[in-house]
Amino acid sequence: MSTLKILTFENEILHKVCKPVVHFDENLWNLLDDMKQTLLSKEGAGLAAPQVGVLKRAFIVYVNNDFFEVINPKIIKTSGTQCEQEGCLSIPGKYAKVTRPKFVIVEFVDRFGNKITLSGNDFLARAICHENDHLNGILYTDLLKGKK
Ligand code: CO
């Protein structure tokens, strides 16, 4: 395992739409393992593949001591709203309040391609939405535009 370099917001890769994962092989597993080590080294709540330069629809979240590997996610239900302080490992040292759903249900597959449905509230819901946005080239700062 190795710690990967995290790209910052100036990098155009972070503003691109990622492609679905089709191969559930050692390349993917190594990427996920390296992303986990990278996330743990930064004490972040989540990390998406494009943040380490890989335009694939995969992210990890580490919330309330639960660790999830989320591949090819689809948010199938949201409800409520919350507005809490948010940061991003690709925008170091900055934080802002972002409005997100209070509850989400997301369908995805794990590293072996097994289908999983996960529901999350509050911080987990926010982390899932934040990381899912990364797969569509959206940073939380994009959600603040025009909100001054
Ligand atoms: Co982020």
Side-chain angles (χ1 to χ4, degrees):
M1 279 203 278
S2 46
T3 302
L4 305 170
K5 180 174 150 46
I6 297 178
L7 305 180
T8 51
F9 61 94
E10 307 88 352
N11 197 301
E12 62 176 27
I13 287 177
L14 287 171
H15 305 278
K16 291 185 171 169
V17 176
C18 297
K19 295 221 159 65
V21 172
V22 289
H23 300 296
F24 295 84
D25 57 10
E26 216 158 283
N27 287 332
L28 175 68
W29 305 336
N30 288 337
L31 170 67
L32 292 166
D33 290 343
D34 288 347
M35 284 171 61
K36 182 176 186 177
Q37 183 162 320
T38 304
L39 179 62
L40 293 176
S41 78
K42 298 286 182 185
E43 295 178 357
L47 185 67
Q51 292 181 276
V52 294
V54 179
L55 284 167
K56 292 267 161 67
R57 303 191 77 81
F59 64 75
I60 58 176
V61 287
Y62 183 60
V63 169
N64 304 329
N65 285 321
D66 281 326
F67 181 78
F68 301 100
E69 292 178 344
V70 176
I71 298 158
N72 298 343
K74 200 174 161 194
I75 293 177
I76 58 165
K77 185 181 163 64
T78 65
S79 67
T81 56
Q82 57 174 321
C83 187
E84 298 295 335
Q85 197 91 331
E86 211 162 290
C88 179
L89 293 175
S90 292
I91 310 172
K94 301 257 195 226
Y95 301 89
K97 283 205 161 190
V98 183
T99 301
R100 300 277 189 192
K102 190 161 176 63
F103 174 78
V104 300
I105 300 177
V106 60
E107 282 181 355
F108 58 97
V109 292
D110 68 10
R111 61 165 63 201
F112 306 107
N114 300 307
K115 200 171 167 181
I116 293 172
T117 303
L118 173 69
S119 58
N121 281 302
D122 301 316
F123 189 59
L124 179 57
R126 201 157 78 239
I128 289 167
C129 292
H130 177 116
E131 299 310 325
N132 190 66
D133 277 352
H134 273 299
L135 308 186
N136 295 319
I138 297 166
L139 303 180
Y140 82 81
T141 45
D142 295 324
L143 305 178
L144 306 175
K145 281 175 188 162
K147 252 191 73 176
K148 273 194 176 155

